[in-house]
Amino acid sequence: MADPKPLVSHIFAADPSAHVFNGKVYVYPSHDRETDIEDNDNGDQYDMVDYHILSMDSIGGPVTDHGIALKVEDVPWVDKQMWAPDAAEKDGKYYLYFPARDKQGIFRIGVAVGEKPEGPFKPDPEPIPGSYSIDPASFVDDDGQAYLYFGGIWGGQLQCWRTGKFVREAFESQEASGDEPALFPRVAKLKDNMREFTSEGVQELVINDEDGKPIHSSKHDRRFFEAAWMHKYNGRYYFSYSTGDTHYLCHAIGDSPLGPFTYAGRILEPVEGWTTHHSICEFQGRWWLFYHDTSLSGKNHLRSTKVRELVYDGQGKLKLAQAQA
Ligand code: FUB
């Protein structure tokens, strides 16, 4: 199968979170921009300042860019780096979840509310209490309970939160080491207002290997790094994520949105560019993988969104549609 073209080329749109609202596909991406900052493990080169929301009536059809939906200056607590966002709908309102560095340089997760999927969005003046790290991904289950998944190691600072408090000195210990489980993503239930975590607070989302034991920290080709996503298929929960420095998109399957999950294999091999990030959504009876690469720019920090079809194999595991042929 030929490499698909980017959905848009007039802006760089990365980290695409796709949802179907009102019969259309809406994509909530990061808006990459040019910078002189050199690439580093801290991710300083991802210096984004606003969000544009994209929509389309059909996969492969024309894409509308709805313009700036939220920007750094709109949010009192944000200093810089508006990274990968996501959105959810509840009771006719739309919630944009976004990570950014606060004035102390700590990544937090904010929420902004709008009347339409494309915004504009009005941000809460403070980040979601108890939120930290990056890459929020929302999921509303069939019973109406909403969840927020998040976390990312290295520049995403998850390694600083092992104790539940931010430990700046832990930044250099970029991940778990020695004979211990990998650092796991986080999940919290959202209150009905969609703007706060419930009193159950933030939990670890355990991903087990096929042997039933938590994925080990040394398994860089399958341990969680960043880019959490959750979807449901045939009554089961699918948690998918990036392995970061090994550049795979993987998935794990479980029977509860809170886990535990069991590793189920790779969805996407490394693409052009260092980061790999994605979302998965069903549209008109088919399943789609939204992801990004740097094929248009050749630069790690200028990424473009693409889409490919996914299918489920006989065991319910995900594969690219062409991989089944
Ligand atoms: O876009 C900035 C960061 O790069 C995201 O938060 C990560 O998932 C990676 O794609």
Side-chain angles (χ1 to χ4, degrees), residues 164-199:
K165 292 205 167 97
F166 185 74
V167 179
R168 203 176 287 275
E169 297 68 37
F171 181 78
E172 296 303 331
S173 64
Q174 293 188 338
E175 42 195 302
S177 58
D179 192 22
E180 47 182 339
L183 279 168
F184 287 121
R186 302 294 195 260
V187 58
K189 284 184 185 170
L190 287 163
K191 288 186 182 173
D192 279 346
N193 67 13
M194 298 293 273
R195 296 149 89 157
E196 292 170 285
F197 298 153
T198 67
S199 57

Coordinates of all heavy atoms in Angstrom, one line a residue, residues 164-199:
G164 N 4.1 10.5 43.7 CA 2.8 11.2 43.8 C 3.0 12.7 43.9 O 2.1 13.5 43.7
K165 N 4.2 13.1 44.2 CA 4.6 14.5 44.2 C 5.7 14.8 43.2 O 6.4 13.9 42.8 CB 5.2 14.9 45.6 CG 4.2 14.8 46.7 CD 4.6 15.8 47.8 CE 3.5 16.0 48.8 NZ 3.6 15.2 50.0
F166 N 5.8 16.0 42.7 CA 6.8 16.3 41.6 C 8.2 16.4 42.3 O 8.4 17.2 43.2 CB 6.4 17.6 40.9 CG 7.4 17.9 39.8 CD1 7.2 17.3 38.6 CD2 8.3 18.9 39.9 CE1 8.1 17.5 37.5 CE2 9.2 19.2 38.8 CZ 9.0 18.5 37.7
V167 N 9.1 15.5 41.8 CA 10.4 15.5 42.3 C 11.3 15.9 41.1 O 11.6 15.1 40.2 CB 10.8 14.2 42.9 CG1 12.3 14.2 43.4 CG2 9.9 13.7 44.0
R168 N 11.7 17.2 41.1 CA 12.5 17.7 39.9 C 13.8 16.9 39.7 O 14.1 16.6 38.6 CB 12.8 19.2 40.1 CG 13.0 19.9 38.8 CD 13.2 21.4 39.1 NE 12.0 22.1 39.4 CZ 11.1 22.6 38.5 NH1 11.4 22.5 37.3 NH2 10.0 23.3 38.9
E169 N 14.4 16.5 40.8 CA 15.7 15.8 40.7 C 15.5 14.5 40.0 O 16.5 13.9 39.6 CB 16.3 15.6 42.1 CG 16.6 16.9 42.8 CD 15.4 17.7 43.3 OE1 14.4 17.1 43.6 OE2 15.4 19.0 43.2
A170 N 14.3 13.9 40.0 CA 14.1 12.6 39.4 C 14.1 12.7 37.9 O 14.0 11.7 37.2 CB 12.8 12.0 39.9
F171 N 14.2 13.9 37.3 CA 14.0 14.0 35.9 C 15.0 13.2 35.1 O 14.7 12.5 34.1 CB 14.2 15.5 35.4 CG 14.0 15.6 33.9 CD1 12.7 15.6 33.4 CD2 15.1 15.7 33.1 CE1 12.5 15.7 32.0 CE2 14.9 15.8 31.7 CZ 13.6 15.8 31.2
E172 N 16.3 13.2 35.6 CA 17.3 12.4 34.9 C 17.1 10.9 34.9 O 17.6 10.2 34.0 CB 18.7 12.8 35.4 CG 19.1 14.2 35.2 CD 19.1 14.7 33.8 OE1 19.3 13.9 32.9 OE2 18.8 15.9 33.5
S173 N 16.4 10.4 36.0 CA 16.2 9.0 36.0 C 15.0 8.8 35.1 O 13.8 8.6 35.5 CB 15.8 8.5 37.4 OG 14.7 9.2 37.8
Q174 N 15.2 8.8 33.8 CA 14.1 9.0 32.8 C 13.1 7.9 32.9 O 12.0 8.0 32.4 CB 14.7 9.2 31.4 CG 15.4 10.5 31.3 CD 15.8 10.8 29.9 OE1 16.0 9.9 29.1 NE2 16.1 12.1 29.6
E175 N 13.5 6.7 33.3 CA 12.5 5.7 33.5 C 12.9 4.7 34.6 O 14.0 4.8 35.1 CB 12.3 4.9 32.1 CG 13.5 4.6 31.4 CD 13.2 4.2 29.9 OE1 12.4 3.3 29.8 OE2 13.7 4.9 29.0
A176 N 12.1 3.7 34.8 CA 12.4 2.7 35.8 C 13.7 2.0 35.4 O 14.0 1.9 34.2 CB 11.3 1.7 36.0
S177 N 14.5 1.5 36.3 CA 15.7 0.9 35.9 C 15.9 -0.3 36.8 O 15.2 -0.5 37.8 CB 16.9 1.8 36.1 OG 16.9 2.2 37.4
G178 N 16.8 -1.2 36.4 CA 17.0 -2.4 37.2 C 15.9 -3.4 37.0 O 15.1 -3.4 36.1
D179 N 15.7 -4.2 38.0 CA 14.8 -5.3 37.9 C 13.4 -4.9 38.4 O 12.9 -5.3 39.5 CB 15.3 -6.5 38.7 CG 14.5 -7.8 38.4 OD1 13.8 -7.8 37.3 OD2 14.4 -8.7 39.2
E180 N 12.8 -4.0 37.7 CA 11.5 -3.5 38.2 C 10.5 -3.3 37.0 O 11.0 -3.2 35.8 CB 11.6 -2.2 39.0 CG 12.5 -1.2 38.3 CD 12.7 0.1 39.2 OE1 11.9 0.3 40.0 OE2 13.7 0.8 38.9
P181 N 9.2 -3.2 37.3 CA 8.3 -3.0 36.2 C 8.5 -1.6 35.6 O 9.1 -0.7 36.2 CB 6.9 -3.0 36.9 CG 7.1 -3.6 38.2 CD 8.6 -3.4 38.6
A182 N 8.1 -1.5 34.3 CA 8.2 -0.2 33.6 C 7.4 0.8 34.4 O 6.5 0.5 35.2 CB 7.8 -0.3 32.2
L183 N 7.6 2.1 34.0 CA 6.7 3.2 34.5 C 5.4 3.0 33.7 O 5.4 2.8 32.5 CB 7.2 4.5 34.3 CG 8.3 5.0 35.3 CD1 9.0 6.3 34.8 CD2 7.6 5.3 36.6
F184 N 4.2 3.1 34.4 CA 3.0 2.9 33.7 C 2.2 4.2 33.5 O 2.4 5.1 34.2 CB 2.1 1.9 34.4 CG 2.6 0.5 34.3 CD1 3.0 -0.3 35.4 CD2 2.8 -0.1 33.0 CE1 3.5 -1.6 35.3 CE2 3.3 -1.4 32.9 CZ 3.6 -2.1 34.0
P185 N 1.3 4.2 32.5 CA 0.5 5.4 32.3 C -0.4 5.6 33.5 O -0.6 4.7 34.3 CB -0.3 5.1 31.0 CG -0.2 3.6 30.8 CD 1.1 3.2 31.5
R186 N -1.1 6.7 33.5 CA -2.0 7.0 34.6 C -3.5 7.1 34.0 O -3.7 7.4 32.8 CB -1.7 8.3 35.2 CG -0.2 8.4 35.8 CD -0.1 7.4 36.9 NE 1.1 7.7 37.7 CZ 2.3 7.0 37.6 NH1 2.4 6.0 36.7 NH2 3.3 7.3 38.3
V187 N -4.4 6.9 34.9 CA -5.8 7.0 34.5 C -6.6 7.6 35.7 O -6.2 7.3 36.9 CB -6.5 5.7 34.1 CG1 -6.4 4.6 35.2 CG2 -7.9 5.9 33.7
A188 N -7.5 8.5 35.5 CA -8.4 9.0 36.5 C -9.8 9.0 36.0 O -10.0 9.4 34.8 CB -8.0 10.3 37.0
K189 N -10.8 8.7 36.8 CA -12.2 8.9 36.4 C -12.5 10.4 36.5 O -12.0 11.1 37.4 CB -13.1 8.2 37.4 CG -13.2 6.7 37.2 CD -14.3 6.2 38.2 CE -14.3 4.7 38.1 NZ -15.1 4.1 39.2
L190 N -13.3 10.9 35.5 CA -13.7 12.3 35.6 C -15.1 12.4 36.2 O -16.0 11.6 36.1 CB -13.8 12.9 34.1 CG -12.4 13.1 33.5 CD1 -12.6 13.2 31.9 CD2 -11.8 14.4 34.0
K191 N -15.2 13.5 37.0 CA -16.6 13.8 37.6 C -17.5 14.1 36.5 O -17.1 14.4 35.3 CB -16.5 15.0 38.5 CG -15.8 14.7 39.8 CD -15.9 15.9 40.7 CE -15.2 15.7 42.0 NZ -15.1 17.0 42.8
D192 N -18.8 14.2 36.8 CA -19.8 14.5 35.7 C -19.6 15.9 35.1 O -19.9 16.1 33.9 CB -21.2 14.5 36.4 CG -21.8 13.1 36.5 OD1 -21.2 12.2 35.8 OD2 -22.8 12.9 37.2
N193 N -18.9 16.8 35.8 CA -18.6 18.1 35.2 C -17.4 18.0 34.2 O -17.1 19.0 33.6 CB -18.3 19.1 36.3 CG -17.0 18.8 37.1 OD1 -16.2 18.0 36.6 ND2 -16.8 19.5 38.2
M194 N -16.8 16.9 34.1 CA -15.7 16.6 33.1 C -14.5 17.5 33.3 O -13.6 17.5 32.5 CB -16.2 16.9 31.7 CG -17.4 16.0 31.2 SD -16.9 14.2 31.1 CE -16.2 14.2 29.4
R195 N -14.4 18.2 34.5 CA -13.3 19.1 34.7 C -12.5 18.8 35.9 O -11.6 19.5 36.2 CB -13.9 20.6 34.8 CG -14.6 21.0 33.5 CD -15.7 22.0 33.8 NE -15.2 23.3 33.9 CZ -16.0 24.4 33.7 NH1 -17.3 24.2 33.5 NH2 -15.5 25.6 33.7
E196 N -12.9 17.8 36.6 CA -12.2 17.4 37.8 C -12.1 15.8 37.9 O -13.0 15.2 37.3 CB -12.9 17.9 39.1 CG -12.9 19.3 39.3 CD -13.9 19.7 40.4 OE1 -15.1 19.6 40.2 OE2 -13.4 20.0 41.5
F197 N -11.1 15.3 38.6 CA -11.0 13.9 38.8 C -11.9 13.6 40.0 O -12.1 14.4 40.9 CB -9.6 13.5 39.2 CG -8.6 13.7 38.1 CD1 -7.2 13.9 38.3 CD2 -9.0 13.7 36.7 CE1 -6.3 14.2 37.3 CE2 -8.0 13.9 35.7 CZ -6.7 14.2 36.0
T198 N -12.4 12.3 40.0 CA -13.2 11.9 41.2 C -12.3 11.7 42.4 O -11.1 11.7 42.2 CB -14.0 10.6 40.9 OG1 -13.0 9.5 40.8 CG2 -14.8 10.7 39.6
S199 N -12.9 11.5 43.5 CA -12.1 11.4 44.8 C -11.3 10.1 44.7 O -10.4 9.9 45.5 CB -13.1 11.3 46.0 OG -14.0 10.3 45.8

